[in-house]
Amino acid sequence: MSKFTTSRLPEPWGSVINRDHTISFRFEGKGYQGYEGDTLASALAANGVMLLSRSFKYHRPRGAFTFAGLDANSYVQVGDEPNVLADMLPISAGLSAMGQNYLGSLYRDHAVHAGRLSRFLPVGFYYRAFFRPKGIWPLWERFFRRAAGLGKINCNADEAYFDKQYLFADVAVIGGGPAGLSAALAAARAGANVLLIEEAATLGGSLNYARFQRHRRDVDSLRDSLIGQVEQNDNIRVLVGATCNGWFPDNWLALSRPNRLYKLRAKHVIACTGSVEQAMVFRNNDLPGVLPASGTQRLMRLYGICPGSRAVVATANAEGYDVVLDLLEAGISVQAVIDVNQSAASPELVEQVSTMGVAVHQACTVGEAIPRTGLRSITGVVINKLAESGEATGESWQLDCDLLVTSVGYAPLGQLVCHAGGELIYDDALNSFIVTNVPPDSGLAGSVNHRYALDAVLADGRTAGLDAARALGLNPEADSQIMPDSGAGGINHPYPIYPHRKGKDFVDFDEDQTVADLQNAVADGFEHPELAKRYSTVGMGPSQGRLSSLNALRIVQRVSGDHLAGASVTTQRPPFKPVSFGVLAGRSFEPERLTPMHRWHADNGAVFMPAGMWKRPAYYAGNKDRAATVAEQVAEEVAVIRGNVGVIDVSTLGGIEIRGPDAAEFLNRMYTFAYKKQPVGRARYLLMTDDTGGIVDDGVACRLDDEHFYITTTTTGSDTVYRNMLRRNAEWGLEIDALNVTSTYAGMNIAGPMSRQVMEKIESDMDFSKDAFPYLAVRQGTINGIPVIAMRVGFVGELGYELHVPWTQALAMWKKLIAVGAQFGIRPVGVEAQRVLRLEKGHIIIGQDTDSLTMPRDAALDWAVTSSKPYFIGKPAIGLSETRPQSRLLVGFRLLNSDGPVPEESHLVVRDDAIVGRVTSVAWSEALDEVIGLAYVAPEQAESGANFQIKVSQGLMVAAQTVQTPFYDPENLRQAL
Amino acid sequence: MVHFSLTTESGLALIDLSVLPRAGIKGKCLSQWIESKRYEVDEEPNRAYAQRDGVLIARLSPGELMLLANPADASMDAMTYSLEATYNCYPVRRQDSHYWFALTGVRCPAMLAKLCSVDLSPDIFADGTVAQTSVARTSAVIVRHDIEDVLCYYLLGDSSTILYMWTCLVDAMKEFDGQILTPPALDNLAHKT
């Protein structure tokens, strides 16, 4: 018996490798060399290394099978990335990869003994064990968690760059094989804009390796011609190295490359996705050295690799004889052809190979591949003679070989079509699946459409391309050709499954499922293919049943006695092939909004905090000549506003202008308060509820003239409020115009007892005196030549002016205020201080102190609801709620012991072990010298002076007392100065 | 920032035009306002119309226009703030509300396809077309306005996102060897012929 060896074949073998460029790489820590164009799997094969990984359950040695990335045998670990397909990964200088799923080393896997326990691990064993005795599962779970999964992830892996891109096409052709090339050319010649998508690095598909019962030279010539035509056609764009991983409604295709997700919108899709050769089932059919015909041809034709020295070919079709010719052409000894048919499908081919000295054994099958010690290669095969019934006669003999090639048929790669609504149905005449229910605005061509003869494949592609052109309204040439014979008859053996009494006859390589496993699944009552799949996990591995569904269905239906014809394969879901999370996540777009003063804030030591998409100064920490805690800095900023004057950037507040004769009526309907009689030049509180009566936003309405309001919204509410306004008025039809001016005007709030002195110091055409500009007045004018909407409002409870200034001139205004205010000790003040200041006044923040169920009376905002109005959004619900008992109220509170634990927002208000409310805001008040807050409490706890309990961290209970708000300046005298 | 002359061969360039004048006008009687200004603007929205004085007027809806100055001269400067509420129309401060970028070169559609789901390829998104859409998850207005033979898209969006969008564009341009230019590059191009 010879040792399994591989070596490079001379040119022209190896169409995709560049023998002038050698690349060094490492696998399992050992250095190797390959050629440019090699994949990791092909380069290793060239070095005699076929073993790439270990199987999931029994840790059996596995090597690449299809050499097209369609099986899970070739998964390897590359750095931090697990499950990289070695037969799709191009080698590159410095590449270092490891095998997967072993304990010890790839070559000496201690877990291989799991295979010996297979009789104790029957199908569904985990459903029936490990739960007795009671409580034992957590121990088993740890074991299974360790054993489960493939590859290793590094949770601390460095960030990599991924992104996304949209693509558009009239016609998307998925697959650059003969059908795809033909379809693309037909559609493009009719004028369609075509995107041709190919997963491999080069176009051609099966034209690159198959013979199609012709001389290979003729196939090469046809391939070169078709690719040349495609390259010269300006209407065709080609995307190679891209996998179509999902086909979603309206022809939205997800295409992935290693670092990019393409989102393709196509008017028409033609799936030329081909087919995948199916495994023949016999004992040890999974070992390195057993290859399908197409995998063997890819290895030889694409990469110029001699796959073995002595081959046996087991076949049920003409393609198997094609491989014999290829092997002979490459100088490889073919020991015998094992033809499973009772009579040869192609007597001419039998004669041809016979005359070349190859023995053909008709009506025989492979009963077993004989492994070398360690199972890493084979040394021969056991041949069984078959009776007419297809059963083994008992006559058998052995042949030496290091390569066993099988060719028993194909399954269409219709998974993508199934994503979009198609179905894979078993067809008795073809002994295969056919794709049905093809979605609208799409078509199939080639072997996915059960066309296998080259002429039929080309004609089918052309027809699909012309159909696409017609569907687009183009006027293509007539499709007058007569469709050649499909070549599908006899290509698939009806039951290429030869179970062995000792097992290891694998149906599903991913999950190590054998014939007996499926038989047992049916015997256990899981007769339906969907149930058998879930019970046995057949088809649930990474290759999603591409190589197992057909044989699994045959076995399940035969054992259960159900008809195979019309049976369907289980649901196909995206992605078609494994895809990295990085590709799915892509480049994350997280919009960030900055105010015009952002740079100034940063330069002046601001520490920013997010507020929706905005970044706002939380407090100003920089330029300190002494260390200060955050609390101390916030307290200083609070003191500045309470003591002299501060300025807060409030540009993030939403701004909306409402114009038109119905402007006041519109506000009356959108908000709870009344605006029809609001005087021009006055500001009024805005409270918005939704249809359920829940508070959703608040702000201030400034009446600039009879038909013109400038309103503010909360920082995060502007877009929603504006959108709702447009939607509502589409129903109401009021004569108004709404304009979102959030980023048209920046805002700054100058507050504190000395704020009037600052304003009066600035050059302006407005009179800021108390009488001319009283509390809640609104004025329009200029400051330093800059147009301004100025209003007197009191969110922080001090004398203050809110200036709304055109965005592009806001920074100049801000700097002016800082400069003029310097003599009064003006300082910028951040959000943290503002929150303390407003809490001292008992002012709520929508979204923090309210939730979606908070009605105005719950938050003591009844005063802002005008019930006499005929309508406002939420009025019916609010009216209804008032007929029911109130369940909670938002109240101010103080802690009875300010030195003890301090509650945090969302800590619960508890009474007799029942939750009656929660804390919404809490802060230390320097002015009051105690901890104060807002909380929802039971109605009977809402009376001033009532005590209640708050449950804080570690379950401690903290005593609090209800306090009338405002906590600070209860008469509101300071803001009206 | 690289200073070089924009040519028809330039693959991709980004220019910040936010310093140039722009304005907006809204209202029900826009046609009277347009007539009074002797502008030529069709009724069809989402189209941009170049005027004799070089001003580009994008019709965003039947009742709203956006006026963009000719990069070659800032003659609209005075007009920006002098738009008056008249004919039941009122001015909109687009100078404040929107940043204004120009993206030029044959690689623009491919680069923008990384940020925007609208097909902006030249044969689909014709010269003078306007798209009000989402770019990198923010609302934006895209106007195709070729300058001579150079493919050019104006991108206008919320002023508060200017730094964010600039960063997104610079990132997206890297693989296309995009260049960052100053407004005179566009000006030079317009004067070339």
Side-chain angles (χ1 to χ4, degrees):
Chain A
M1 284 186 254
S2 68
K3 189 182 172 193
F4 183 92
T5 57
T6 55
S7 59
R8 294 285 184 183
L9 298 168
E11 291 182 272
W13 302 93
S15 61
V16 302
I17 57 170
N18 175 8
R19 295 172 199 248
D20 295 331
H21 189 187
T22 303
I23 294 173
S24 297
F25 65 97
R26 299 184 79 77
F27 181 67
E28 285 287 315
K30 189 178 172 190
Y32 297 97
Q33 287 192 325
Y35 291 130
E36 184 182 48
D38 261 326
T39 63
L40 177 61
S42 71
L44 285 171
N47 286 276
V49 178
M50 294 297 282
L51 173 60
L52 295 174
S53 66
R54 293 275 173 168
S55 72
F56 178 61
K57 189 173 169 187
Y58 299 135
H59 287 242
R60 289 174 65 84
R62 293 281 165 79
F65 189 71
T66 59
F67 284 92
L70 291 167
D71 58 277
N73 286 2
S74 69
Y75 279 166
V76 294
Q77 178 98 22
V78 181
D80 290 334
E81 189 174 359
N83 303 324
V84 177
L85 288 161
D87 54 349
M88 297 298 285
L89 176 70
I91 58 166
S92 54
L95 171 69
S96 180
M98 300 290 285
Q100 286 193 171
N101 209 44
Y102 55 77
L103 192 63
S105 77
L106 178 62
Y107 305 109
R108 292 187 185 281
D109 183 358
H110 305 314
V112 74
H113 304 300
R116 293 181 193 154
L117 301 173
S118 59
R119 59 186 296 194
F120 303 110
L121 305 171
V123 63
F125 70 97
Y126 39 82
Y127 296 128
R128 294 178 293 185
F130 313 117
F131 60 92
R132 288 198 189 100
K134 193 175 178 185
I136 194 73
W137 169 246
L139 295 175
W140 281 112
E141 186 184 15
R142 267 192 288 174
F143 169 76
F144 285 119
R145 293 273 177 215
R146 272 204 306 274
L150 290 171
K152 295 173 188 162
I153 57 166
N154 177 4
C155 295
N156 300 313
D158 292 335
E159 269 191 30
Y161 189 90
F162 295 89
D163 66 5
K164 298 179 183 174
Q165 185 172 357
Y166 292 93
L167 292 172
F168 311 90
D170 290 338
V171 180
V173 179
I174 311 170
L181 293 167
S182 176
L185 284 168
R189 283 172 182 153
N193 175 317
V194 177
L195 183 67
L196 178 58
I197 304 143
E198 170 55 44
E199 186 174 25
T202 52
L203 292 174
S206 57
L207 293 172
N208 290 315
Y209 58 85
R211 289 181 81 104
F212 295 99
Q213 292 86 58
R214 302 171 184 215
H215 197 288
R216 181 61 215 172
R217 198 173 46 230
D218 298 336
V219 180
D220 279 340
S221 169
L222 176 64
R223 176 199 62 198
D224 295 345
S225 167
L226 287 171
I227 293 175
Q229 292 172 59
V230 164
E231 286 173 346
Q232 286 171 13
N233 193 309
D234 291 339
N235 283 350
I236 302 177
R237 287 172 294 155
V238 177
L239 191 67
V240 293
T243 304
C244 185
N245 259 323
W247 182 349
F248 301 98
D250 299 325
N251 287 341
W252 191 111
L253 301 176
L255 316 176
S256 57
R257 273 178 163 172
N259 287 75
R260 181 170 293 180
L261 176 68
Y262 294 91
K263 299 188 267 190
L264 168 63
R265 284 277 183 196
K267 293 174 186 166
H268 199 97
V269 176
I270 306 174
C272 304
T273 44
S275 52
V276 58
E277 191 166 4
Q278 298 295 288
M280 187 176 181
V281 180
F282 51 85
R283 180 171 167 79
N284 292 327
N285 61 339
D286 62 325
L287 296 181
V290 181
L291 289 173
S294 53
T296 308
Q297 288 175 311
R298 286 187 184 104
L299 205 50
M300 296 163 70
R301 294 286 177 193
L302 302 181
Y303 306 108
I305 290 165
C306 173
S309 59
R310 286 194 295 177
V312 169
V313 177
T315 185
N317 51 37
E319 278 67 14
Y321 288 90
D322 274 357
V323 178
V324 174
L325 297 175
D326 281 336
L327 291 166
L328 294 171
E329 200 174 309
I332 297 166
S333 165
V334 179
Q335 303 293 89
V337 173
I338 310 302
D339 194 326
V340 296
N341 295 313
Q342 293 295 322
S343 55
S346 172
E348 299 80 13
L349 285 169
V350 173
E351 189 182 342
Q352 189 179 354
V353 301
S354 297
T355 56
M356 298 171 84
V358 178
V360 178
H361 301 287
Q362 209 72 49
C364 291
T365 188
V366 176
E368 178 180 358
I370 302 167
R372 184 179 293 280
T373 305
L375 306 178
R376 290 186 229 155
S377 59
I378 63 170
T379 60
V381 291
V382 174
I383 309 299
N384 290 336
K385 184 72 181 167
L386 296 173
E388 275 192 35
S389 63
E391 302 291 320
T393 61
E395 180 189 349
S396 66
W397 69 99
Q398 199 169 314
L399 282 173
D400 289 350
C401 66
D402 58 9
L403 173 66
L404 172 59
V405 180
T406 66
S407 180
V408 290
Y410 300 81
L413 285 170
Q415 288 79 5
L416 279 173
V417 188
C418 293
H419 295 173
E423 212 174 345
L424 287 165
I425 300 287
Y426 195 87
D427 184 281
D428 251 355
L430 299 174
N431 299 319
S432 182
F433 293 125
I434 57 169
V435 182
T436 61
N437 294 338
V438 178
D441 301 318
S442 65
L444 306 175
S447 61
V448 70
N449 197 31
H450 50 85
R451 305 288 193 275
Y452 289 92
L454 186 52
D455 290 342
V457 168
L458 295 171
D460 200 32
R462 183 170 182 273
T463 300
L466 295 174
D467 286 348
R470 274 188 285 274
L472 292 169
L474 300 170
N475 189 22
E477 57 189 285
D479 185 15
S480 58
Q481 64 186 342
I482 298 164
M483 189 59 75
D485 178 71
S486 70
I491 204 162
N492 269 29
H493 190 275
Y495 201 82
I497 298 156
Y498 304 96
H500 195 282
R501 61 187 171 81
K502 289 185 179 176
K504 302 293 182 285
D505 39 15
F506 291 97
V507 179
D508 187 334
F509 295 168
D510 293 13
E511 301 280 314
D512 281 345
Q513 298 301 321
T514 63
V515 176
D517 287 328
L518 288 163
Q519 290 169 335
N520 289 337
V522 176
D524 286 349
F526 299 93
E527 296 179 352
H528 192 281
E530 289 279 4
L531 297 176
K533 169 187 170 179
R534 278 156 183 78
Y535 187 63
S536 68
T537 69
V538 69
M540 290 172 69
S543 55
Q544 297 194 52
R546 287 188 288 269
L547 289 147
S548 62
S549 290
L550 190 56
N551 281 334
L553 191 67
R554 286 166 171 155
I555 295 167
V556 169
Q557 298 301 84
R558 176 172 285 197
V559 177
S560 63
D562 287 339
H563 290 296
L564 194 51
S568 86
V569 73
T570 52
T571 307
Q572 306 292 313
R573 295 185 178 88
F576 173 63
K577 281 189 177 176
V579 58
S580 73
F581 287 120
V583 167
L584 292 180
R587 188 196 186 298
S588 57
F589 291 110
E590 292 173 19
E592 192 173 84
R593 301 181 74 174
L594 306 177
T595 75
M597 285 76 82
H598 184 86
R599 177 63 63 84
W600 189 96
H601 298 320
D603 290 344
N604 286 274
V607 175
F608 292 97
M609 61 182 285
M613 286 195 287
W614 294 92
K615 286 276 182 290
R616 297 191 69 183
Y619 59 93
Y620 295 81
N623 305 325
K624 291 275 182 190
D625 52 8
R626 63 177 178 79
T629 65
V630 173
E632 286 170 340
Q633 304 201 49
V634 172
E636 280 181 23
E637 291 177 17
V638 170
V640 163
I641 295 232
R642 291 283 181 245
N644 40 344
V645 59
V647 57
I648 307 171
D649 182 353
V650 294
S651 304
T652 60
L653 292 174
I656 298 171
E657 285 186 87
I658 310 291
R659 288 182 171 85
D662 293 331
E665 170 63 20
F666 180 72
L667 291 186
N668 255 19
R669 296 188 191 187
M670 291 298 302
Y671 291 94
T672 59
F673 224 172
Y675 303 95
K676 279 195 166 178
K677 294 179 181 172
Q678 179 180 346
V680 171
R682 295 286 290 178
R684 184 164 288 181
Y685 183 63
L686 289 165
L687 184 69
M688 178 178 278
T689 52
D690 62 14
D691 285 315
T692 69
I695 295 171
V696 291
D697 206 71
D698 73 350
V700 173
C702 304
R703 192 161 203 167
L704 302 181
D705 65 43
D706 282 344
E707 298 184 359
H708 186 190
F709 287 84
Y710 173 75
I711 69 166
T712 63
T713 74
T714 58
T715 289
T716 54
S718 62
D719 288 346
T720 308
V721 169
Y722 181 63
R723 190 166 56 241
N724 278 337
M725 284 180 166
L726 298 184
R727 181 175 71 83
R728 293 285 180 177
N729 202 48
E731 298 169 9
W732 297 336
L734 295 175
E735 198 172 335
I736 61 111
D737 184 78
L739 181 68
N740 190 338
V741 291
T742 300
S743 297
T744 304
Y745 296 103
M748 45 206 85
N749 184 8
I750 302 94
M754 301 171 88
S755 55
R756 181 174 292 131
Q757 289 163 265
V758 175
M759 298 312 298
E760 287 180 337
K761 196 92 178 165
I762 288 183
E763 181 189 329
S764 174
D765 54 9
M766 288 183 284
D767 182 351
F768 290 98
S769 66
K770 181 180 178 181
D771 294 338
F773 204 150
Y775 185 58
L776 293 181
V778 177
R779 300 287 181 264
Q780 294 183 83
T782 61
I783 294 176
N784 257 45
I786 298 172
V788 173
I789 300 170
M791 60 189 88
R792 274 199 62 190
V793 288
F795 190 53
V796 297
E798 297 290 345
L799 170 67
Y801 303 85
E802 200 166 286
L803 309 179
H804 290 245
V805 182
W807 197 264
T808 51
Q809 295 160 284
L811 179 59
M813 175 70 81
W814 178 272
K815 286 180 175 174
K816 189 71 185 174
L817 288 171
I818 294 289
V820 173
Q823 68 183 97
F824 304 101
I826 197 168
R827 274 183 53 177
V829 172
V831 175
E832 292 290 359
Q834 186 191 32
R835 285 182 174 177
V836 175
L837 292 160
R838 68 88 202 179
L839 181 59
E840 289 174 340
K841 291 300 296 178
H843 292 158
I844 66 165
I845 297 176
I846 304 297
Q848 176 172 324
D849 299 306
T850 65
D851 54 44
S852 58
L853 300 176
T854 305
M855 291 197 165
R857 66 169 178 161
D858 299 337
L861 289 171
D862 320 55
W863 60 269
V865 178
T866 306
S867 303
S868 57
K869 288 195 296 187
Y871 173 80
F872 62 86
I873 297 168
K875 186 185 178 194
I878 290 171
L880 187 64
S881 75
E882 285 169 354
T883 64
R884 295 171 182 164
Q886 198 161 6
S887 62
R888 59 176 185 164
L889 270 166
L890 186 68
V891 299
F893 71 85
R894 56 183 286 270
L895 294 188
L896 293 179
N897 176 15
S898 278
D899 296 328
V902 177
E904 294 173 14
E905 286 150 14
S906 290
H907 278 171
L908 301 175
V909 176
V910 176
R911 184 178 61 184
D912 300 333
D913 291 334
I915 299 168
V916 295
R918 65 181 171 88
V919 174
T920 62
S921 295
V922 67
W924 170 261
S925 168
E926 200 71 41
L928 301 165
D929 196 26
E930 63 180 347
V931 173
I932 58 169
L934 296 174
Y936 285 101
V937 298
E940 51 274 26
Q941 297 171 322
E943 285 294 317
S944 183
N947 292 342
F948 60 89
Q949 298 284 314
I950 300 169
K951 191 173 185 177
V952 298
S953 301
Q954 270 103 48
L956 295 173
M957 302 301 282
V958 170
Q961 185 177 61
T962 303
V963 178
Q964 186 74 36
T965 57
F967 299 94
Y968 177 80
D969 183 25
E971 304 297 322
N972 292 326
L973 300 175
R974 296 177 67 87
Q975 66 197 28
L977 282 173
Chain B
M1 191 174 287
V2 179
H3 295 265
F4 77 100
S5 191
L6 192 65
T7 69
T8 52
E9 289 77 36
S10 300
L12 179 62
L14 168 64
I15 306 163
D16 184 1
L17 300 180
S18 299
V19 295
L20 298 182
R22 56 202 173 280
I25 187 139
K26 277 190 92 179
K28 286 191 171 175
C29 304
L30 270 185
S31 54
Q32 289 170 265
W33 182 87
I34 291 166
E35 201 174 314
S36 72
K37 299 288 181 185
R38 301 191 175 185
Y39 283 135
E40 292 179 5
V41 180
D42 287 350
E43 293 292 322
E44 188 185 350
N46 290 321
R47 296 283 308 166
Y49 304 91
Q51 307 302 312
R52 279 188 297 273
D53 59 1
V55 170
L56 184 70
I57 301 183
R59 184 152 212 156
L60 302 181
S61 72
E64 184 171 6
L65 304 178
M66 183 184 275
L67 290 78
L68 304 170
N70 182 355
D73 65 64
S75 60
M76 213 180 78
D77 198 22
M79 186 186 72
T80 306
Y81 298 109
S82 64
L83 287 177
E84 291 173 355
T86 177
Y87 301 111
N88 228 355
C89 299
Y90 65 92
V92 180
R93 290 182 170 275
R94 293 299 178 202
Q95 187 85 26
D96 294 292
S97 66
H98 281 61
Y99 62 78
W100 179 12
F101 297 155
L103 289 152
T104 68
V106 292
R107 290 177 166 179
C108 272
M111 187 278 289
L112 284 167
K114 293 169 68 177
L115 307 173
C116 177
S117 63
V118 175
D119 187 353
L120 299 169
S121 51
D123 50 341
I124 300 291
F125 196 77
D127 195 15
T129 307
V130 174
Q132 297 176 71
T133 181
S134 175
V135 178
R137 291 187 60 214
T138 62
S139 296
V141 179
I142 299 173
V143 183
R144 182 176 163 195
H145 181 54
D146 293 355
I147 298 176
E148 299 307 326
D149 294 332
V150 177
L151 191 61
C152 180
Y153 299 86
Y154 289 154
L155 175 66
L156 300 106
D158 189 299
S159 292
S160 66
T161 62
I162 182 170
L163 186 60
Y164 163 75
M165 184 55 70
W166 183 265
T167 308
C168 288
L169 290 168
V170 169
D171 174 72
M173 291 199 314
K174 276 180 192 159
E175 71 174 279
F176 300 100
D177 297 325
Q179 303 289 331
I180 297 168
L181 304 180
T182 50
L186 216 53
D187 184 9
N188 293 341
L189 191 70
H191 280 112
K192 250 172 62 171
T193 51

